[in-house]
Amino acid sequence: MKKSILLIIAILCVVLVNAQTNLVVNPSFEDWVDNKPTGWIIPANASHASAITVFQETTITSEGSNALKVTIDDSQNPGFQQVIPITAKKTYNVSIDYYVVSGDGTDVRIWSSFKNATGFYNTAAWTAATAKDPDIQKKLQGDGTNTNNYFKIDNGTWGTYSVDFVAPEDATDFVFEVRTYKNSTAIWDNASLKEVTSGLNNVGDSKVDFYVESGKLKVNHLPTGSKIELFNVVGSRALTTEYNGVSVPLNNINKGIYIVRSGKITQKIIY
């Protein structure tokens, strides 16, 4: 048992030492020109310009000194985006922090996509991509489980959306976009797109994906009844439970980096 835990810690150390480069320009919205953060297209659709008001937030931030605060009126659902070159068939992790100041629970979600040689993904391109990976659109549009869902979080609390995906075989660029919806105000910070080249994210069944959202441990494609163990970076077990098909509350777990293990699957998470 001790040897296996030490092996997990050793792998984690390799992952931390070999952290990949963040491909996002101005990821924490530190740099601003003409009252907009550099590197970002705001709004993603120019026809939505009248619906969004952009602020440089300096009080409520999750990374650095600034964040992006947006207020949306009742006419449109604007997003903001950055188009980032990627390599087809490689694995990437996309993540961003979000904070809903006011809204009705249907306020924020990721709405990312790809470009290929002919331009931005259309319905046919998404159909081809989901034929090979049924979950890819769910991961990049919606809440990770359904393209109709929004991020769920209590107003006035920071949340993080983070998920791994494999770039489709025709992809040339990743369109990193998130949206804020009508009659809401939200703050965005700490955007990230990193290539996953080694370590725990590539160990075990690639279809199983653990992630943390709204203070809960969630997982895709794990059979009900599976045992889940959570270890901290010094190898101490922080949680043992049986997966019953729903998310696992992390109420009594300290914030930090952990290893999730279920059978032969091991994966790093940040809570």
Side-chain angles (χ1 to χ4, degrees), residues 61-76:
T61 67
S62 69
E63 176 76 16
S65 301
N66 297 321
L68 172 63
K69 181 178 180 180
V70 294
T71 295
I72 311 301
D73 69 14
D74 62 358
S75 64
Q76 301 285 349

Side-chain angles (χ1 to χ4, degrees), residues 232-249:
N232 63 23
V233 293
V234 297
S236 297
R237 185 184 288 104
L239 175 71
T240 301
T241 189
E242 182 176 288
Y243 182 59
N244 62 1
V246 299
S247 55
V248 178

Side-chain angles (χ1 to χ4, degrees), residues 3 5 31 93 100 103 117 145 152 156 159 162 177 181 192 246 249 262:
K3 288 183 179 179
I5 298 301
D31 301 320
N93 175 268
V100 177
T145 62
K152 300 299 183 185
S162 177
E177 181 173 340
Y181 286 77
S192 173
V246 299
S262 182

Side-chain angles (χ1 to χ4, degrees), residues 70-90:
V70 294
T71 295
I72 311 301
D73 69 14
D74 62 358
S75 64
Q76 301 285 349
N77 299 309
F80 62 90
Q81 68 179 214
Q82 187 171 136
V83 180
I84 306 166
I86 57 172
T87 302
K89 299 182 181 180
K90 286 193 174 183

Side-chain angles (χ1 to χ4, degrees), residues 4-26:
S4 63
I5 298 301
L6 290 174
L7 175 61
I8 292 173
I9 296 171
I11 296 173
L12 175 59
C13 291
V14 171
V15 172
L16 295 177
V17 170
N18 294 286
Q20 299 301 304
T21 301
N22 189 356
L23 302 177
V24 177
V25 175
N26 195 18

Side-chain angles (χ1 to χ4, degrees), residues 34-154:
D34 295 330
N35 298 316
K36 287 188 177 181
T38 59
W40 294 93
I41 302 169
I42 305 177
N45 186 332
S47 67
H48 295 170
S50 63
I52 183 172
T53 304
V54 177
F55 304 91
Q56 183 176 356
E57 175 62 40
T58 59
T59 301
I60 303 173
T61 67
S62 69
E63 176 76 16
S65 301
N66 297 321
L68 172 63
K69 181 178 180 180
V70 294
T71 295
I72 311 301
D73 69 14
D74 62 358
S75 64
Q76 301 285 349
N77 299 309
F80 62 90
Q81 68 179 214
Q82 187 171 136
V83 180
I84 306 166
I86 57 172
T87 302
K89 299 182 181 180
K90 286 193 174 183
T91 302
Y92 293 87
N93 175 268
V94 60
S95 67
I96 194 165
D97 296 345
Y98 55 93
Y99 182 109
V100 177
V101 178
S102 62
D104 63 2
T106 60
D107 310 300
V108 293
R109 60 181 173 182
I110 192 169
W111 202 257
S112 295
S113 185
F114 300 98
K115 290 182 69 177
N116 57 23
T118 61
F120 289 93
Y121 256 31
N122 55 22
T123 300
W126 271 120
T127 298
T130 55
K132 295 181 179 297
D133 179 358
D135 295 317
I136 189 168
Q137 194 167 15
K138 297 176 185 178
K139 290 180 177 182
L140 299 178
Q141 294 185 345
D143 72 338
T145 62
N146 193 306
T147 57
N148 293 321
N149 292 350
Y150 302 82
F151 295 161
K152 300 299 183 185
I153 191 170
D154 293 334

